[in-house]
Amino acid sequence: MYEYLEGTIAGRTAARLVLDVAGVGYELCVPLAARFPASGRTRVWTHLAVREDNHALYGFPDRETRELFRVLLSVRGVGPVLALGILSGLAREPLLDAIADGDIRTLTRIKGVGKKTGEQILLDLRDKAQTLRAQLAGAARAGASLPGPKRDKNIEDAVQALVSIGYSEKEALKSVERAAETVDEKNLEELVRAALAS
């Protein structure tokens, strides 16, 4: 229904983006630490997921990542929330490498991906991975790195990002605090990725 939206960024957290398009604010679910500008105008490639009780708009910094999200949706047992979690847990190129190489261990390290789901991803996508990698690898991520907010706000945003993909608040806080001991907590992207790996 929507190919992309172009407007001004009105709000941003690790997992949410609010885009003002001609005075209408669109809330989009985005991959953790996706590279969007901190402010100003931007284009967001979108996917609308419609269910009986919910309409959710998903946003991506480039068309290639949006297409990979849609490819993941073709896997049996993978819905929009899990597909977004997979793209949050592993960047696009390493994800394609893991699928192409049949690397089940890397896939199952992603939050929410168990052995059964990982095997289904490999079964459904492994033969396509080389083609996908060739199609997607060349595109650069749009936007710039997120600025580092104050520590308290940064930790809060990272915790909320993990909660949005299925962590309990207690588990998320513990993971983020542990990650903050090993990476620069002023860099939200590093903090979230380290928390996911902890």
Side-chain angles (χ1 to χ4, degrees), residues 10-95:
R12 178 75 168 100
T13 66
R16 292 287 186 276
L17 179 73
V18 177
L19 194 67
D20 184 330
V21 181
V24 178
Y26 290 87
E27 182 183 34
L28 300 109
C29 305
V30 299
L32 299 183
R35 294 180 181 273
F36 292 103
S39 60
R41 290 187 63 80
T42 192
R43 175 177 290 183
V44 182
W45 298 88
T46 59
H47 176 87
L48 178 64
V50 179
R51 295 183 176 179
E52 286 185 13
D53 59 345
N54 183 45
H55 289 197
L57 197 57
Y58 294 83
F60 306 91
D62 51 67
R63 189 195 311 232
E64 291 76 17
T65 303
R66 194 267 309 273
E67 294 312 308
L68 181 53
F69 174 81
R70 288 177 170 174
V71 167
L72 288 167
L73 291 180
S74 73
V75 176
R76 186 162 54 88
V78 176
V81 173
L82 181 54
L84 195 69
I86 292 170
L87 289 174
S88 297
L90 204 57
R92 190 176 69 208
E93 286 77 11
L95 175 59

Side-chain angles (χ1 to χ4, degrees), residues 9-183:
I9 293 176
R12 178 75 168 100
T13 66
R16 292 287 186 276
L17 179 73
V18 177
L19 194 67
D20 184 330
V21 181
V24 178
Y26 290 87
E27 182 183 34
L28 300 109
C29 305
V30 299
L32 299 183
R35 294 180 181 273
F36 292 103
S39 60
R41 290 187 63 80
T42 192
R43 175 177 290 183
V44 182
W45 298 88
T46 59
H47 176 87
L48 178 64
V50 179
R51 295 183 176 179
E52 286 185 13
D53 59 345
N54 183 45
H55 289 197
L57 197 57
Y58 294 83
F60 306 91
D62 51 67
R63 189 195 311 232
E64 291 76 17
T65 303
R66 194 267 309 273
E67 294 312 308
L68 181 53
F69 174 81
R70 288 177 170 174
V71 167
L72 288 167
L73 291 180
S74 73
V75 176
R76 186 162 54 88
V78 176
V81 173
L82 181 54
L84 195 69
I86 292 170
L87 289 174
S88 297
L90 204 57
R92 190 176 69 208
E93 286 77 11
L95 175 59
L96 286 171
D97 289 343
I99 295 170
D101 297 340
D103 187 353
I104 188 73
R105 291 183 63 188
T106 294
L107 292 178
T108 54
R109 282 200 291 264
I110 300 170
K111 176 74 175 177
V113 178
K115 185 179 179 183
K116 183 177 179 181
T117 301
E119 288 174 346
Q120 190 66 48
I121 290 171
L122 294 180
L123 178 66
D124 291 353
L125 302 183
R126 190 172 181 183
D127 289 343
K128 301 177 185 176
Q130 294 291 350
T131 302
L132 289 170
R133 191 158 47 179
Q135 291 173 346
L136 303 177
R141 289 176 176 265
S145 298
L146 295 172
K150 294 186 291 185
R151 175 173 178 168
D152 288 350
K153 179 71 166 68
N154 216 30
I155 293 214
E156 179 184 331
D157 283 350
V159 167
Q160 290 307 310
L162 267 61
V163 168
S164 74
I165 60 166
Y167 282 69
S168 69
E169 191 158 347
K170 182 178 179 181
E171 182 184 19
L173 181 59
K174 186 176 180 180
S175 295
V176 170
E177 287 179 340
R178 189 163 51 238
E181 296 173 0
T182 61
V183 301

